[in-house]
Amino acid sequence: MSIEVIKPGLLTSLQDAGRRGHAALGVGRAGAMDDSAWRLANALVGNHAGEAALEITLAGPTLRFQSDAVIALTGGIIEARANGQPLPPWTSCFLPADTVLRLGVVRHGCRSYLAVRGGFDSGTVLGSRSTDLHARIGPLEGRAIQARDVIPFGKRSSACWFRGNKQVQALRWGLDPQPWLDYEQAPLALMRGITTRHSTRHREAHCLRNASSSARTATAREAAWKAHRYLCASPWN
């Protein structure tokens, strides 16, 4: 089970939580720049929280999936087409074998995350699968992906909500990316369509709009953890 890189995009690398605790040895942490978006990408495909994902910077790659896969795209909103069919972000999507996934520019934000069910099957260095581009440590000899790379991912039982499906398909529900895109215009919500102006969540969001940047980040991170715990405890995983 693997992914073939057709075009590498601007800068795409494998990242997880990073290598903590080695700074005294001169080893940087690396890891996902948007921790919450990375964790939620894994949650949407039913992975363990620490699995590595592809971190896509500004413009994405073109990838061929050599076997069936369940993926999720989170973080900045990125243009995505699977065999020409548009894919929504922030939800779980099924791609049959030989699907070509074309990822375009990141339209909101700087980085997007692609997680695949089963996790990327690369070796660990100092307990992490993160790519350190400066130290050349991590998967693919510590570099960004290149054309003709083949990236294996783990085998896991098919997701029950896509079982028996052989066409590109996305779930009809997804997480609300608003906390990552615009704190000012809408209330904070984890699921689309469930927030009302008079709800408790709206009042919390009103406080959030008046909070400092660090407080907003902490609130978004807390929301990410709540969503992750809910998704990982659900029967479809």
Side-chain angles (χ1 to χ4, degrees):
M1 304 180 74
S2 58
I3 299 172
E4 176 190 357
V5 180
I6 299 174
K7 295 181 180 179
L10 180 64
L11 177 62
T12 300
S13 62
L14 279 168
Q15 301 292 344
D16 58 15
R19 298 176 184 85
R20 306 187 185 200
H22 301 289
L25 303 176
V27 179
R29 173 181 169 182
M33 292 291 290
D34 188 338
D35 183 84
S36 298
W38 159 67
R39 291 180 184 277
L40 285 173
N42 276 316
L44 283 166
V45 297
N47 283 345
H48 298 297
E51 294 288 356
L54 285 175
E55 183 180 78
I56 301 158
T57 303
L58 294 178
T62 299
L63 309 169
R64 177 181 286 110
F65 287 77
Q66 298 179 347
S67 55
D68 292 356
V70 175
I71 69 164
L73 289 161
T74 62
I77 303 301
I78 189 170
E79 299 172 358
R81 288 183 175 272
N83 291 342
Q85 177 179 330
L87 286 185
W90 291 86
T91 191
S92 183
C93 304
F94 173 80
L95 305 182
D98 294 325
T99 294
V100 174
L101 175 64
R102 290 181 170 85
L103 299 173
V105 299
V106 182
R107 293 185 288 109
H108 296 280
C110 180
R111 292 177 177 83
S112 297
Y113 294 85
L114 187 154
V116 60
R117 184 172 174 85
F120 288 100
D121 191 11
S122 62
T124 62
V125 177
L126 296 176
S128 171
R129 291 184 172 88
S130 284
T131 304
D132 188 329
L133 298 173
H134 296 289
R136 297 290 181 179
I137 295 174
L140 302 174
E141 300 179 345
R143 59 168 172 80
I145 66 171
Q146 296 177 357
R148 295 187 294 278
D149 281 342
V150 176
I151 309 172
F153 61 90
K155 184 177 181 180
R156 188 172 178 185
S157 60
S158 59
C160 63
W161 60 99
F162 290 130
R163 197 162 292 157
N165 191 57
K166 290 300 178 183
Q167 296 181 340
V168 174
Q169 182 183 351
L171 287 184
R172 298 176 64 183
W173 63 267
L175 298 179
D176 188 342
Q178 180 268 325
W180 279 261
L181 304 180
D182 188 352
Y183 291 111
E184 302 297 332
Q185 299 301 320
L188 179 66
L190 290 181
M191 305 292 289
R192 298 189 186 100
I194 64 171
T195 303
T196 64
R197 176 166 295 276
H198 301 291
S199 68
T200 301
R201 187 168 291 146
H202 176 79
R203 292 194 295 273
E204 292 174 350
H206 178 75
C207 296
L208 180 64
R209 288 195 294 268
N210 294 310
S212 65
S213 176
S214 60
R216 292 197 300 267
T217 301
T219 303
R221 186 178 298 113
E222 180 184 357
W225 274 110
K226 288 180 179 178
H228 182 270
R229 288 195 297 269
Y230 170 75
L231 288 168
C232 289
S234 299
W236 52 71
N237 290 328

